Amino acid sequence: MPLTVIQLFLRGVPLRLLRRYIATARSYSPATLFALTVALGQLLCWFLSPSLMLSTVMVLAFLLAVTARGFRVLLMGLLIGALSCLVPIYCDRSVAPSRELVTIVQIEGEPRRTTPGRVVFKARDLLASDTPLLSCRALELPWRNSASLLEGDIVWLRGVAEEVQRESNPWSWQSWLWRRGVRYECKADFISTPIWREASAPFAIGREMVMERVDGIAQERSGATLFLSMALGYHDLLSKPVEDAFTRLGLTHLLVVSGYQVSLVFGVVASCLAGLGAQILSGRFVRLAVMIAALGVALVYVLFIGAEMSATRAFVAAACVCLESLGEFGRRFAQRWGVALLVMQLIWPWAALEIGVQLTFAALAGIGVGMCLGRGSWIRSYLWINTAAWLFTSAVVVAWSGAVSFAGLILNLLLAAPWSFLNCTAGIVGLSLSWLDLPLSSGPFLVVVWINELIAECLLLLSESDLAGGKVEGVWQLVTCAALTLGSGLILLRAARQQSINAPLDLVR
């Protein structure tokens, strides 16, 4: 048996099969194939030292020059993935501070309250020569002033700092911080009152005005906090029982503004403008104007919610899809999200290692597979899209945390899209109408608040039942992940078979 395997390799049969698979993937979606090879190159470089990275780049460049044409795409992707990692690794020249750190820092981003009485924030060390980024945590005590911190504040900070390492495990907490530019973790023992405070940015002022308006209309009702979290990305407003219920039911993605909400806003605006533009103008100009206007609205939306990484990645993906669609580079769905994944990996090296990116593109893959399997019927497409997206994303979630929700499929089928659509469209429009101060102008928004409260109560009751699911560990986590991966593979094979059947029909049309 071993001799037979060696003979097959010597005859080049595996290489011919691999070349055939690469050619098929390149003909169907070259951007997706290229993005996956870039991700493979970046993952390879994570485990290499800087000197080995340079050697790897030279070896890949040499192989690219002498290798047959069928494997050049693979080698080119590996080479670009390796080159994209050189800058963040070679620019990492931070000098470790002493454990006792006393310095002046500027707060970056909005401080978060992950648990009651604890504040987590990022700050830039202004006294260090290379101004490294610190991830700080502090308790809300009078001499720490952490409760009053705002983005842009400059304060004195004293604490214990530890250097963040790029560990061999790319999924560890330290590696996660390192990829975000954080070079030190600091436990703050003392924080002064702000010695200087930047003027609030226009979007920050707008967020404060929206919060005051919602409080004035709904008076801190739970449905209003759900709207602020689901539609506008406000953090730390929901109670712990509500957050736990969403987590157990597989609906956590609804509580943060990410690709799901940004894509929804972009799609709704693009659809409305396309229908309106078709009544006024015709031709390619309408399509271009609609895409530019929808991207503009999506950009304003992302800036308003704080331009967090998840939302920014979603906007980049939407922009790539628009440019690829307008350029007529291809009409396949996989080609479009392959372009988005490729651009993201070049902007944020090792982006494919993040659970948020994996969930985003697992959902996109589910959408593409569902569209293929449900072709010809919008009901069948809707069912297949939600089923495939739940299956793909559940495999990612189980692999990361072991959390599995038995009710997640049904809730995502029946609830996720309509509820997000309600808050991101009717909720925002209703809140905008309330500023007119006309009789009953706040009525539509209060209806959305009441619906949110009703759904949240039902979810709380459901989360306490056996249908909510739970966590699997050890062998059972591997078995569950393998089962979900197998199901995903079977659906992918069925979609590929369906696509091969429909391809001749598309050519005829």
Side-chain angles (χ1 to χ4, degrees), residues 4 31 46 69 118 241 243 307 340 362 379 407 423:
T4 304
W46 181 270
R69 181 179 179 182
R118 181 179 178 180
E243 290 185 352
I379 297 178
N423 282 275

Side-chain angles (χ1 to χ4, degrees), residues 3 73 103 118 130 275 350 384:
L3 182 60
V73 173
T103 185
R118 181 179 178 180
D130 51 355
W350 300 290
W384 271 115

Side-chain angles (χ1 to χ4, degrees), residues 38-52:
V38 169
L40 182 61
Q42 291 180 346
L43 180 61
L44 175 65
C45 289
W46 181 270
F47 303 99
L48 302 178
S49 64
S51 58
L52 286 177

Side-chain angles (χ1 to χ4, degrees), residues 306-493:
E308 294 189 349
M309 183 174 288
S310 59
T312 305
R313 284 195 298 246
F315 175 76
V316 170
C320 292
V321 169
C322 289
L323 292 175
E324 196 274 339
S325 176
L326 289 173
E328 300 291 348
F329 298 118
R331 296 182 179 274
R332 293 190 176 99
F333 189 81
Q335 171 73 0
R336 295 181 179 181
W337 70 258
V339 172
L341 178 59
L342 177 61
V343 172
M344 271 196 241
Q345 289 181 123
L346 296 179
I347 297 176
W348 297 286
W350 300 290
L353 297 177
E354 305 294 333
I355 183 175
V357 175
Q358 293 175 11
L359 287 173
T360 297
F361 285 94
L364 286 173
I367 292 173
V369 169
M371 290 170 60
C372 178
L373 293 176
R375 192 170 187 172
S377 170
W378 70 269
I379 297 178
R380 191 164 60 246
S381 296
Y382 180 81
L383 293 175
W384 271 115
I385 285 172
N386 283 276
T387 301
W390 174 82
L391 194 62
F392 294 171
T393 55
S394 294
V396 175
V397 172
V398 171
W400 275 84
S401 64
V404 56
S405 174
F406 304 112
L409 174 60
I410 303 300
L411 290 175
N412 278 281
L413 278 172
L414 302 178
L415 183 63
W419 198 12
S420 291
F421 184 83
L422 175 72
N423 282 275
C424 292
T425 56
I428 294 177
V429 172
L431 181 62
S432 302
L433 290 176
S434 68
W435 254 287
L436 298 177
D437 290 328
L438 298 175
L440 302 178
S441 60
S442 60
F445 179 73
L446 292 176
V447 171
V448 174
V449 170
W450 175 78
I451 294 175
N452 285 345
E453 292 175 344
L454 180 63
I455 295 176
E457 289 295 329
C458 295
L459 293 179
L460 285 172
L461 293 176
L462 182 60
S463 66
E464 298 173 358
S465 66
D466 295 335
L467 295 174
K471 294 193 69 173
V472 290
E473 298 178 350
V475 176
W476 286 110
Q477 182 177 359
L478 294 175
V479 171
T480 305
C481 185
L484 292 170
T485 304
L486 178 61
S488 302
L490 292 176
I491 289 182
L492 282 172
L493 288 176

Side-chain angles (χ1 to χ4, degrees), residues 163-383:
E163 187 177 6
V164 172
Q165 301 288 337
R166 181 171 64 96
E167 297 180 343
S168 58
N169 178 12
W171 294 281
S172 67
W173 171 249
Q174 291 266 317
S175 299
W176 185 86
L177 289 175
W178 188 90
R179 286 196 297 270
R180 279 156 178 75
V182 176
R183 293 298 173 259
Y184 307 102
E185 284 188 284
C186 179
K187 180 181 178 182
D189 297 323
F190 170 80
I191 301 173
S192 72
T193 56
I195 58 179
W196 186 77
R197 173 167 288 175
E198 285 185 343
S200 298
F203 286 108
I205 297 175
R207 287 173 63 85
E208 295 175 3
M209 293 175 59
V210 168
M211 176 73 80
E212 294 175 359
R213 185 64 181 178
V214 170
D215 288 341
I217 298 174
Q219 299 178 353
E220 298 184 357
R221 292 172 57 178
S222 59
T225 57
L226 275 170
F227 163 77
L228 290 172
S229 178
M230 295 174 63
L232 299 178
Y234 286 75
H235 300 295
D236 310 319
L237 298 178
L238 298 174
S239 63
K240 192 69 167 53
V242 172
E243 290 185 352
D244 292 342
F246 274 73
T247 301
R248 285 193 294 270
L249 296 173
L251 297 173
T252 310
H253 60 283
L254 298 181
L255 296 181
V256 293
V257 175
S258 59
Y260 195 87
Q261 287 79 3
V262 174
S263 301
L264 182 62
V265 170
F266 171 81
V268 169
V269 173
S271 299
C272 294
L273 292 179
L276 181 62
Q279 304 296 327
I280 303 174
L281 299 171
S282 61
R284 185 180 177 86
F285 175 76
V286 175
R287 189 180 178 193
L288 176 62
V290 166
M291 291 295 183
I292 293 176
L295 279 177
V297 174
L299 177 61
V300 172
Y301 179 63
V302 168
L303 292 176
F304 180 83
I305 63 179
E308 294 189 349
M309 183 174 288
S310 59
T312 305
R313 284 195 298 246
F315 175 76
V316 170
C320 292
V321 169
C322 289
L323 292 175
E324 196 274 339
S325 176
L326 289 173
E328 300 291 348
F329 298 118
R331 296 182 179 274
R332 293 190 176 99
F333 189 81
Q335 171 73 0
R336 295 181 179 181
W337 70 258
V339 172
L341 178 59
L342 177 61
V343 172
M344 271 196 241
Q345 289 181 123
L346 296 179
I347 297 176
W348 297 286
W350 300 290
L353 297 177
E354 305 294 333
I355 183 175
V357 175
Q358 293 175 11
L359 287 173
T360 297
F361 285 94
L364 286 173
I367 292 173
V369 169
M371 290 170 60
C372 178
L373 293 176
R375 192 170 187 172
S377 170
W378 70 269
I379 297 178
R380 191 164 60 246
S381 296
Y382 180 81
L383 293 175

